[in-house]
Amino acid sequence: MKDFLPDLYPSSFVIYESIRTRGKVRFALAVILSVLVFCTLQHRFGQPVPLPAGVAARRARILEECKYVKTPAGPPPNFHARTYSDRYVPGTKPLWLKNAKLWTGAFNGTEVIYGDILLDKGLIQAIGYIPPELLSHSNVQVEDAKGAWVTPGLVDLHSHIGVGSAPSLRGGTFFF
């Protein structure tokens, strides 16, 4: 029975191996040629191309923004040495807020001081007891807080504005 079947395996295997070998050789030649072309071009045109002024300026601005994004959170190094706030409006009088309940946020948020606060040029100059030499300004604006709370930048964003319709309509009432 073995004599009746043709023996095709060896010849097809040889053709397949020959095609595979030719493919590998072509790929190797393509890689070698690519490397040679790259090296030639790199040697010939290796000098960086000068960028137009607008592109160079834009790149510098983008890199500066990247540096700013990677800066750790917190005030700048010279923050405590400043003499006025960047939000200070020239001509604003110093403010002496008397008899306030001051929540400082210190000691895990438990410190509360009953006293005064002096603001000048947009900065807090003193908290608690205000020495008389700091009040030497003739134009100090004095306000009595009458025991009201003064907090460090605490803002309550909770609001019901916009829940009701204007003008008031029967279908605009929400019942929860």
Side-chain angles (χ1 to χ4, degrees), residues 10-32:
S11 63
S12 63
F13 182 73
V14 170
I15 293 171
Y16 174 74
E17 281 299 315
S18 145
I19 292 172
R20 220 169 112 181
T21 304
R22 275 189 264 153
K24 287 180 182 179
V25 169
R26 285 181 183 159
F27 178 75
L29 287 174
V31 169
I32 291 169

Side-chain angles (χ1 to χ4, degrees), residues 50-115:
L51 297 173
V55 174
R58 184 167 180 257
R59 279 188 180 179
R61 185 177 47 81
I62 290 171
L63 288 173
E64 187 65 31
E65 287 178 16
C66 290
K67 185 170 67 173
Y68 177 73
V69 168
K70 293 178 183 177
T71 304
N78 62 347
F79 181 76
H80 298 291
R82 59 196 181 134
T83 57
Y84 63 92
S85 171
D86 53 346
R87 298 181 195 163
Y88 170 65
V89 177
T92 305
K93 295 179 181 179
L95 174 65
W96 178 17
L97 192 59
K98 297 170 55 173
N99 304 319
K101 197 182 305 182
L102 307 167
W103 180 47
T104 65
F107 303 114
N108 202 20
T110 60
E111 181 181 57
V112 176
I113 298 173
Y114 297 93

Side-chain angles (χ1 to χ4, degrees), residues 31-158:
V31 169
I32 291 169
L33 183 63
S34 298
V35 170
L36 286 173
V37 168
F38 176 77
C39 290
T40 303
L41 291 175
Q42 185 68 18
H43 178 70
R44 188 167 186 186
F45 303 108
Q47 301 300 323
V49 177
L51 297 173
V55 174
R58 184 167 180 257
R59 279 188 180 179
R61 185 177 47 81
I62 290 171
L63 288 173
E64 187 65 31
E65 287 178 16
C66 290
K67 185 170 67 173
Y68 177 73
V69 168
K70 293 178 183 177
T71 304
N78 62 347
F79 181 76
H80 298 291
R82 59 196 181 134
T83 57
Y84 63 92
S85 171
D86 53 346
R87 298 181 195 163
Y88 170 65
V89 177
T92 305
K93 295 179 181 179
L95 174 65
W96 178 17
L97 192 59
K98 297 170 55 173
N99 304 319
K101 197 182 305 182
L102 307 167
W103 180 47
T104 65
F107 303 114
N108 202 20
T110 60
E111 181 181 57
V112 176
I113 298 173
Y114 297 93
D116 304 342
I117 185 167
L118 177 64
L119 302 166
D120 188 18
K121 295 182 182 164
L123 298 176
I124 298 172
Q125 301 297 329
I127 292 180
Y129 169 74
I130 309 296
E133 60 268 8
L134 289 178
L135 299 171
S136 62
H137 299 287
S138 60
N139 59 352
V140 173
Q141 179 183 346
V142 180
E143 296 288 334
D144 188 0
K146 300 177 185 167
W149 283 93
V150 176
T151 62
L154 185 64
V155 177
D156 183 8
L157 298 178
H158 179 88

